[in-house]
Amino acid sequence: MDNYLVLKYIHILCAIVLMGTGAGIAFFMLMASRSKNITVIAHTARFVILADWVFTTPAVIGQFITGVLLMQRLQYSFSAPWFMCVASLFVFIGCCWVPVVFIQYRLKKFAEAAEQTGVLSDGFYRTMKYWVALGIPAFGGVLMMLWLMIFKPLAIL
């Protein structure tokens, strides 16, 4: 089998996992938060963190590695405008996502504390706002990167 097709398959699979996990994590964490059910929020926060480590992190690593290998295989220029946009988005998304991972641990801590007291603190809701404020541009960046990957509207060589 052609090395290119394997790389492309893995690259697309990683993109699908990123999109699906990102959308799923956002949906379930937001719905749990809106429920105001402390037990649901605490369990969801635990699973959101697990999903990021099991699905998102490997997909990001796979996306990066296969992206670089595809660039080399297709002899695209690493200084081309298209790649500069993709690389900038990758860094931007990472700058949003890394803090979100730490925020998720804080949300889990707030929820676990609330399991003991029976009350979610204002800190939980304030931290949730930061999570959303970083998650929306990160997800938008992923959508933009996917569009760039498919349409390649800028010079690639």
Side-chain angles (χ1 to χ4, degrees):
M1 184 183 296
D2 186 1
N3 178 16
Y4 167 73
L5 293 177
V6 172
L7 288 173
K8 186 175 178 179
Y9 175 77
I10 295 169
H11 195 71
I12 292 168
L13 184 61
C14 288
I16 291 166
V17 169
L18 282 173
M19 294 294 299
T21 305
I25 283 173
F27 177 78
F28 288 113
M29 193 64 199
L30 285 170
M31 292 299 104
S33 175
R34 288 187 54 163
S35 78
K36 300 190 189 305
N37 181 319
I38 294 167
T39 303
V40 169
I41 293 168
H43 283 296
T44 303
R46 289 180 197 111
F47 288 127
V48 160
I49 290 167
L50 180 63
D52 255 347
W53 287 114
V54 171
F55 298 106
T56 309
T57 301
V60 167
I61 294 166
Q63 191 85 54
F64 178 79
I65 292 169
T66 57
V68 168
L69 293 173
L70 283 166
M71 289 285 293
Q72 292 172 339
R73 174 73 165 75
L74 296 169
Q75 298 180 343
Y76 289 172
S77 171
F78 285 96
S79 61
W82 174 80
F83 180 76
M84 288 297 148
C85 283
V86 168
S88 297
L89 276 170
F90 193 85
V91 169
F92 170 76
I93 294 162
C95 287
C96 291
W97 177 61
V98 170
V100 161
V101 172
F102 289 101
I103 288 169
Q104 288 169 174
Y105 279 98
R106 290 189 67 210
L107 291 169
K108 179 175 86 78
K109 184 179 171 185
F110 281 126
E112 289 173 345
E115 284 183 307
Q116 302 303 314
T117 64
V119 177
L120 275 168
S121 69
D122 290 338
F124 173 84
Y125 293 105
R126 189 173 37 256
T127 305
M128 235 355 245
K129 288 179 184 176
Y130 291 123
W131 185 80
V132 171
L134 288 167
I136 289 172
F139 195 74
V142 171
L143 290 174
M144 176 79 76
M145 188 182 302
L146 189 60
W147 183 81
L148 284 168
M149 284 170 43
I150 293 168
F151 294 102
K152 294 185 180 53
L154 304 169
I156 57 176
L157 300 175

